[in-house]
């Protein structure tokens, strides 16, 4: 089994990825319903890894179950919960289960979740996690010991094109590329022109950027993202549209679709973070003129 996502990136296709959050428990029906609803327009789904530092079903298990349904997963893996031994063991296990896409991130601190007394591991930094995956792909573990059979992962990481210090962010991206990352899912983008400048530099370095899309559900949400989330800037003209909207849902869909259309010619794709609005993602992608990926089952 190989990564279909990798082949599409190589072919220059405009990719659409989204997110699914495993349940806190064993009832997977709501997650499967969302996946089946979105699968015709989404190429692959991030499966979050105890999102928000809250206990949930294993990202690896859910990724395997999605793959069994013909839906391509991207297994998230955080530094928070594993040392280098456990991380590599999980990667080898995931590969044996047929999972071929992984995206690495630090993970929310345990103090923000539902087990605030848990110890955060953070044994490896982002570039080290990537280096471990690169080693497994090349046939050796992080300590340089030979494997009996190598992995074939498409490896991803995160990037922030709206960072205050763009040169520093590009340097981090370069380190992650050197570590083996090939695609990057970014912080939410609301200014395509600003993103284009970052993407041009990143593309020259060999990175595939999937621009983050978060629908602006309400004026309160727009202001929170703008004021409180590093790297997100909601321009005044969009803030005014959200403030003046007679139907906040319609306006949010319009803005997200317009942003995606503007990004089509300047990015490798988009990463749609619906944050509870999965039911509206098909409308956003249809309005953005994203073609159907596959026929309904």
């Amino acid at each position: 089994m190989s990564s279909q996502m990798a082949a599409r990136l190589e072919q220059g296709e405009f990719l659409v990825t989204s997110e699914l959050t495993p349940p806190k428990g064993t009832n997977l029906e709501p997650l499967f319903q969302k996946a089946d609803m979105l699968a015709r327009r989404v190429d692959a789904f991030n499966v979050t890894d105890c999102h928000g530092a809250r206990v949930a079903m294993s990202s690896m298990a859910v990724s395997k179950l999605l793959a069994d349904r013909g839906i391509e997963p991207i297994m998230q893996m955080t530094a928070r919960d594993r040392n280098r031994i456990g991380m590599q063991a999980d990667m080898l296990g995931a590969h044996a289960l047929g999972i071929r896409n992984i995206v690495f991130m630090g993970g929310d601190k345990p103090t923000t979740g539902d087990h605030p007394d848990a110890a955060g591991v953070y044994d490896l930094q982002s570039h080290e996690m990537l280096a471990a995956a690169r080693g497994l792909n090349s046939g050796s573990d992080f300590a340089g010991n030979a494997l009996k059979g190598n992995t074939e992962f498409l490896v991803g990481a995160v990037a922030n094109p709206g960072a205050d210090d763009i040169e520093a962010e590009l340097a981090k991206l370069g380190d992650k590329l050197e570590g083996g990352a090939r695609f990057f899912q970014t912080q939410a983008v609301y200014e395509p022109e600003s993103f284009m400048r970052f993407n041009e530099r990143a593309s020259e370095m060999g990175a595939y950027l999937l621009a983050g899309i978060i629908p602006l559900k309400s004026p309160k949400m727009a202001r929170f993202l703008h004021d409180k989330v590093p790297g997100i800037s909601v321009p005044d003209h969009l803030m005014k549209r959200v403030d003046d909207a007679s139907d906040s849902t319609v306006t949010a869909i319009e803005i997200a679709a317009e942003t995606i259309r503007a990004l089509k010619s300047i990015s490798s794709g988009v990463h749609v973070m619906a944050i509870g609005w999965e039911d509206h993602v098909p409308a956003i992608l249809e309005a953005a003129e994203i073609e159907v990926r596959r026929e309904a089952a």
Side-chain angles (χ1 to χ4, degrees):
M1 183 183 298
S2 60
S3 167
Q4 297 178 38
M5 186 175 163
R8 288 169 175 153
L9 285 172
E10 295 285 351
Q11 293 164 9
E13 294 185 27
F14 185 84
L15 260 67
V16 178
T17 61
S18 191
E19 290 189 348
L20 294 168
T21 300
K24 188 179 183 67
T26 60
N27 181 11
L28 285 159
E29 282 310 306
L31 181 141
F32 288 150
Q33 288 172 9
K34 290 175 183 178
D36 292 342
M37 173 186 64
L38 298 176
R40 297 181 68 229
R41 291 190 179 272
V42 172
D43 294 293
F45 292 90
N46 281 27
V47 182
T48 61
D49 184 15
C50 291
H51 178 68
R54 295 186 293 272
V55 170
M57 187 180 290
S58 154
S59 173
M60 187 194 306
V62 175
S63 294
K64 165 61 174 171
L65 293 170
L66 289 173
D68 288 346
R69 297 170 76 89
I71 295 170
E72 186 158 14
I74 305 169
M75 188 178 81
Q76 282 191 5
M77 185 172 281
T78 68
R80 179 190 58 235
D81 302 322
R82 304 168 182 85
N83 67 11
R84 64 194 68 192
I85 297 172
M87 186 169 292
Q88 291 175 96
D90 280 353
M91 283 192 273
L92 291 172
H95 193 272
L97 294 173
I99 297 163
R100 294 294 181 266
N101 308 310
I102 299 182
V103 63
F104 293 103
M105 52 199 67
D108 300 300
K109 294 181 179 179
T111 52
T112 67
D114 57 5
H115 287 64
D117 294 329
V121 180
Y122 300 106
D123 182 31
L124 299 181
Q125 300 298 312
S126 294
H127 68 280
E128 293 172 315
M129 290 191 285
L130 292 164
R134 181 186 61 194
L136 298 185
N137 279 347
S138 299
S140 62
D141 69 14
F142 194 62
N145 302 303
L147 302 178
K148 295 179 180 178
N150 62 292
T151 59
E152 297 177 344
F153 287 121
L154 172 68
V155 181
V158 295
N160 190 348
D164 291 336
D165 189 337
I166 291 299
E167 294 303 320
E169 186 65 20
L170 285 166
K172 291 179 185 176
L173 186 141
D175 289 342
K176 292 175 182 179
L177 278 169
E178 186 175 345
R182 293 181 61 198
F183 73 94
F184 294 81
Q185 294 170 327
T186 82
Q187 186 58 281
V189 172
Y190 298 101
E191 299 178 281
E193 299 81 6
S194 176
F195 172 85
M196 179 174 64
R197 293 189 289 273
F198 184 89
N199 186 62
E200 286 175 350
R201 299 275 301 278
S203 296
E204 290 170 0
M205 298 164 68
Y208 296 106
L209 260 58
L210 307 182
I213 301 293
I214 298 179
L216 297 173
K217 304 177 188 179
S218 67
K220 181 179 179 181
M221 178 182 186
R223 285 187 171 77
F224 175 83
L225 292 174
H226 182 79
D227 294 339
K228 301 296 185 181
V229 182
I232 294 184
S233 175
V234 181
D236 291 341
H237 69 95
L238 291 186
M239 200 75 79
K240 187 175 188 308
R241 278 181 68 182
V242 175
D243 283 341
D244 295 345
S246 58
D247 187 321
S248 58
T249 299
V250 169
T251 299
I253 290 171
E254 289 174 349
I255 291 172
E258 290 165 9
T259 304
I260 294 172
R261 286 200 299 271
L263 290 165
K264 274 176 158 181
S265 63
I266 60 174
S267 72
S268 296
V270 290
H271 179 56
V272 182
M273 296 168 276
I275 314 178
W277 256 29
E278 288 81 9
D279 288 351
H280 295 298
V281 172
I284 291 171
L285 296 175
E286 184 173 356
E289 300 172 1
I290 299 296
E291 71 277 6
V292 170
R293 271 33 183 164
R294 67 176 192 174
E295 296 304 315

